[in-house]
Amino acid sequence: MSITMHTGPNAAPTAVSSLAMRLLTLCYGGLAYLIFFGTFLYAVGFVSGYVVPKTVDKTVDTGSTSSLTTALLINLVVMSIFAVQHSGMARQGFKRLFTRFASPAIERSTYVLLASLTLILLYWQWRPMPAVVWNIENPALAGLATTGGFLGWLIVLYSTFLISHFELFGLTQVVTHFAGRVAEPMKFKTPGLYRLIRHPIYLGFIIAFWSTPTMTLGHLLFAAVTTAYIFVGIYLEERDLVALFGSEYRRYREKVAMLVPGIF
Ligand SMILES: C[S@@+](CC[C@H](N)C(=O)[O-])C[C@H]1O[C@@H](n2cnc3c(N)ncnc32)[C@H](O)[C@@H]1O
């Protein structure tokens, strides 16, 4: 069901798009953003092992434990569900299909909402695999690894603001729609860290996932699979960026490293 009447993805909302519908769209986008932000904060606790009850390393004690094979299979399935949703819905083809049936104003919020729900499924169904792969005993080095992990999360959050945090998570689109205007198409930007590397958000995730004083088998699986997925995501994202921005993005790719400044 279409929430507003549009004659195309960039058309202005018509009179049929009543105030009530625009308000509903705004609430939907606002709720999707709040769920995303809660899910993001939980991710910090889930990976770093602080504050939240269930983490990548330990679960709330229910008395039942899974075998290593069951844990491995379930963890791979929940990570795959996240990856398929995340990459599938990010493609231009999916976006075109979506906006044939629903307002473009809620396309990004819907993406963010479903990504958050698949992450919540992952937190819920994740089976810790507690065997220790490494444990840094030197307190100074352990502290450095913990600090590195939090630095990774800060890089992620900071970089979202560099390329427009509220647009990335759908709020700009629903607020603009509520004001009766059409959101500008996404612009290609290279501020701050984006002048050094093309994917600071993904670099932040990689640092956050790997930088830990104690690496369990489950955490290692999580870090390795998500890192591999990030490389697939980069390939797909850059293909779309080249299609959208052409030679501008190609030149940027020639000049600026992918993840490590000056190296690759
Ligand atoms: C999760 S963000 C990751 C951005 C980037 N890959 C990074 O790691 O910092 C994905 C969204 O950012 C957009 N994006 C990627 N690079 C961009 C840039 N330089 N300027 C504006 N948007 C960008 C993509 O089109 C996509 O919608």
Side-chain angles (χ1 to χ4, degrees):
M1 186 193 76
S2 170
I3 285 190
T4 57
M5 289 279 285
H6 290 259
T7 54
N10 295 320
T14 68
V16 179
S17 177
S18 65
L19 181 64
M21 283 311 251
R22 283 187 282 139
L23 191 59
L24 194 64
T25 303
L26 183 68
C27 292
Y28 176 77
L31 185 68
Y33 181 82
L34 286 180
I35 293 174
F36 145 73
F37 207 74
T39 313
F40 176 80
L41 289 181
Y42 198 97
V44 179
F46 184 77
V47 174
S48 63
Y50 285 98
V51 183
V52 300
K54 164 100 180 263
T55 76
V56 71
D57 299 323
K58 73 171 173 58
T59 189
V60 185
D61 192 9
T62 57
S64 68
T65 49
S66 312
S67 73
L68 193 61
T69 317
T70 310
L72 181 66
L73 281 177
I74 293 177
N75 292 344
L76 286 175
V77 167
V78 286
M79 283 192 285
S80 304
I81 292 173
F82 176 78
V84 168
Q85 179 279 328
H86 213 71
S87 281
M89 281 188 73
R91 304 284 66 80
Q92 295 301 320
F94 183 88
K95 290 181 187 182
R96 276 194 295 275
L97 185 70
F98 182 91
T99 51
R100 274 171 54 190
F101 301 101
S103 165
I106 59 162
E107 181 271 320
R108 194 70 194 176
S109 296
T110 306
Y111 173 78
V112 165
L113 179 63
L114 289 179
S116 303
L117 294 181
T118 56
L119 259 187
I120 291 169
L121 176 73
L122 185 149
Y123 302 149
W124 174 40
Q125 283 304 319
W126 182 262
R127 302 290 195 271
M129 299 156 73
V132 174
V133 180
W134 76 63
N135 183 38
I136 303 176
E137 279 172 12
N138 179 302
L141 287 181
L144 206 62
T146 305
T147 311
F150 283 112
L151 190 69
W153 289 111
L154 276 182
I155 293 173
V156 171
L157 197 59
Y158 172 66
S159 304
T160 65
F161 282 96
L162 288 178
I163 55 167
S164 187
H165 176 87
F166 295 110
E167 192 180 343
L168 207 52
F169 299 105
L171 266 189
T172 306
Q173 293 84 330
V174 292
V175 169
T176 313
H177 180 263
F178 181 70
R181 290 180 280 112
V182 177
E184 297 276 312
M186 189 197 83
K187 290 192 179 68
F188 172 59
K189 298 173 192 155
T190 58
L193 290 177
Y194 284 85
R195 276 195 281 275
L196 294 178
I197 51 170
R198 306 199 294 276
H199 301 285
I201 295 179
Y202 296 150
L203 176 68
F205 279 126
I206 292 174
I207 295 173
F209 296 163
W210 286 93
S211 191
T212 175
T214 306
M215 180 63 92
T216 63
L217 195 58
H219 193 151
L220 184 68
L221 176 76
F222 180 83
V225 172
T226 46
T227 302
Y229 168 63
I230 281 173
F231 281 96
V232 176
I234 288 177
Y235 168 78
L236 295 171
E237 186 177 306
E238 293 205 333
R239 211 177 53 177
D240 285 349
L241 288 166
V242 167
L244 275 173
F245 302 108
S247 55
E248 193 183 4
Y249 196 82
R250 276 201 202 90
R251 278 199 303 277
Y252 175 62
R253 201 162 56 174
E254 276 160 23
K255 277 199 307 210
V256 177
M258 187 199 292
L259 288 168
V260 185
I263 298 179
F264 96 101

